[in-house]
Amino acid sequence: MEIKSDSQQSPVIRRGDFEFSLPTELIAQEPAPNRDDARLMVVERTRGTRTHARVSELPAFLNPGDLVVVNDTRVIPARVPLRTPKGRRGELLFVRALNTPGSSPPVWLCLGKPARDLQPGVRLTLEPSTEVEIIERQGPGRYVVAWHGHTDVLTFLNCHGQVPLPPYIRRPVGPSAADAERYQTIFARVPGSVAAPTAGLHFTPALVANLLTRGVQLARITLHVGPGTFIPIRVDDVRLHRMEPEWCEIPTETAEAIRAAKLEGKRVVAIGTTTTRALESAAIGEPMFVRSGVLWADRFIVPGYHFQVINALFTNFHLPGSTLILLVAAFAGRELILESYAEAIKHRYRFYSYGDAMLVL
């Protein structure tokens, strides 16, 4: 599938222009004690200003009638230890089903290791006693796997899988019970992601109630976060990077709420890069602005992209040179974002999944 981008005719966009030096101690290893205790940097694009606040103060920066759109995907405990026929240990990360529910056997796309033992035709044991078979290798670390377990895949994963925390969150003995709760948003209801839509991790029922009291509206989309979002960019010109599409669904009521907000001159506030990618991939212009239903989010958003749906972005602080910081820079401008990141480092903001947040208006 071809990834859509509005930047194909723009000048070269160098990965190195979006790199920065981050002290390792600012990579958050634990979330804030309470979700909305995290710090919040509010960046105003037109004025180039920055305000320091807390996530709990978010309603003060939004207006009555603004539409906040969240991602209600649920992270599945997708990481499972395995044993090879030679007795070696490894693991599989179950990414997504490749055939329709009820098909026999279920076939899934997985990431796996050790690569030397994961060859087509090999049967692997997933502890405690379930077998899978490697059908095809689709590239480094990527495999098509047939399921030969007695229970369905999601039931097995819910019983025996681990939360797939990012590698920069160090857990020598594996994710904790607290991670199982905190690496899940309060909106999570549709299982299918292998990573959390981390901007949504900051929300609490009290914060949502305060937003509604303020007159802010809330809508939902579902985008299942896959590994493609996190694959490093290995080319100098980022436009040559190929980012995998991700499954998403835009409910009819969300599309209608977006249309109403746009026609009334209210802001559409995307909670996270996943929501942004879903909405921009669904953009169709007037009269509906976004199409509803199931689609593949296939926008690779880099500087030069013309945003059609969102007017504000609430997001975490991202990795240097990543697809995520490219998206944020496309929305706010490279210089403003790099200046804001430098200020965040100076003020000891916490970065990445369990870190602090930024609101770009």
Side-chain angles (χ1 to χ4, degrees):
M1 182 181 299
E2 182 179 356
I3 307 300
K4 299 175 185 176
S5 172
D6 284 2
S7 65
Q8 295 303 311
Q9 302 304 317
S10 66
V12 171
I13 303 172
R14 303 289 183 192
R15 181 190 61 206
D17 290 340
F18 300 88
E19 300 279 358
F20 59 92
S21 179
L22 178 68
T24 56
E25 67 269 17
L26 296 185
I27 300 173
Q29 298 301 304
E30 302 288 345
N34 299 304
R35 291 176 184 263
D36 58 2
D37 284 344
R39 299 169 72 187
L40 176 66
M41 178 185 287
V42 181
V43 179
E44 295 190 51
R45 292 178 291 167
T46 55
R47 298 167 57 194
T49 60
R50 288 175 285 271
T51 303
H52 301 284
R54 296 279 172 182
V55 171
S56 58
E57 300 174 80
L58 175 63
F61 297 98
L62 300 182
N63 300 324
D66 284 348
L67 178 66
V68 166
V69 186
V70 302
N71 185 358
D72 66 5
T73 187
R74 186 171 187 83
V75 181
I76 59 176
R79 182 170 283 122
V80 184
L82 63 83
R83 189 172 65 254
T84 72
K86 297 180 180 179
R88 282 195 278 263
R89 300 286 177 171
E91 71 174 30
L92 283 181
L93 179 72
F94 283 77
V95 175
R96 68 173 183 269
L98 296 179
N99 54 3
T100 56
S103 300
S104 183
V107 175
W108 278 64
L109 173 67
C110 294
L111 305 183
K113 58 182 181 182
R116 66 182 182 275
D117 293 325
L118 304 188
Q119 302 297 328
V122 170
R123 285 208 173 201
L124 307 167
T125 300
L126 305 183
E127 298 185 356
S129 60
T130 294
E131 283 196 342
V132 297
E133 180 181 353
I134 303 293
I135 297 176
E136 179 186 346
R137 182 176 181 269
Q138 288 196 337
R142 297 170 61 92
Y143 305 92
V144 176
V145 171
W147 179 261
H148 295 294
H150 297 295
T151 61
D152 69 84
V153 178
L154 288 179
T155 298
F156 179 90
L157 294 178
N158 285 328
C159 291
H160 304 290
Q162 290 185 338
V163 176
L165 290 178
Y168 50 74
I169 297 178
R170 296 184 293 274
R171 295 289 187 271
V173 296
S176 66
D179 289 318
E181 188 263 333
R182 291 302 301 272
Y183 196 64
Q184 203 78 263
T185 75
I186 64 168
F187 310 110
R189 66 180 186 89
V190 185
S193 280
V194 298
T198 53
L201 296 178
H202 298 290
F203 282 72
T204 65
L207 177 57
V208 171
N210 289 339
L211 287 167
L212 296 176
T213 299
R214 172 74 170 160
V216 174
Q217 301 180 67
L218 187 75
R220 300 172 181 244
I221 59 93
T222 305
L223 181 141
H224 291 328
V225 186
T229 297
F230 308 100
I231 292 175
I233 298 174
R234 295 187 172 91
V235 292
D236 183 42
D237 183 352
V238 301
R239 300 172 306 161
L240 302 179
H241 176 74
R242 288 295 173 258
M243 191 169 169
E244 294 182 8
E246 295 168 305
W247 184 96
C248 70
E249 183 172 12
I250 313 291
T252 300
E253 56 268 29
T254 295
E256 292 173 348
I258 289 170
R259 179 176 186 271
K262 301 290 276 187
L263 291 177
E264 293 170 14
K266 305 299 183 181
R267 293 180 297 193
V268 175
V269 184
I271 304 303
T273 57
T274 63
T275 299
T276 300
R277 195 169 182 228
L279 295 181
E280 294 296 324
S281 294
I284 54 174
E286 297 186 47
M288 281 304 296
F289 295 97
V290 298
R291 65 184 176 96
S292 61
V294 172
L295 63 139
W296 288 93
D298 56 4
R299 289 285 184 193
F300 178 29
I301 298 175
V302 300
Y305 176 80
H306 174 67
F307 286 83
Q308 302 175 66
V309 182
I310 77 163
N311 307 106
L313 171 62
F314 179 94
T315 186
N316 281 26
F317 290 90
H318 302 294
L319 278 74
S322 65
T323 60
L324 303 177
I325 195 171
L326 284 168
L327 184 151
V328 179
F331 187 68
R334 172 184 170 273
E335 290 187 5
L336 180 58
I337 283 302
L338 292 182
E339 289 170 0
S340 299
Y341 271 51
E343 184 165 329
I345 292 169
K346 176 182 176 181
H347 288 271
R348 312 298 288 175
Y349 276 69
R350 301 164 73 242
F351 277 63
Y352 306 165
S353 295
Y354 274 159
D356 295 315
M358 172 185 285
L359 174 64
V360 185
L361 298 172

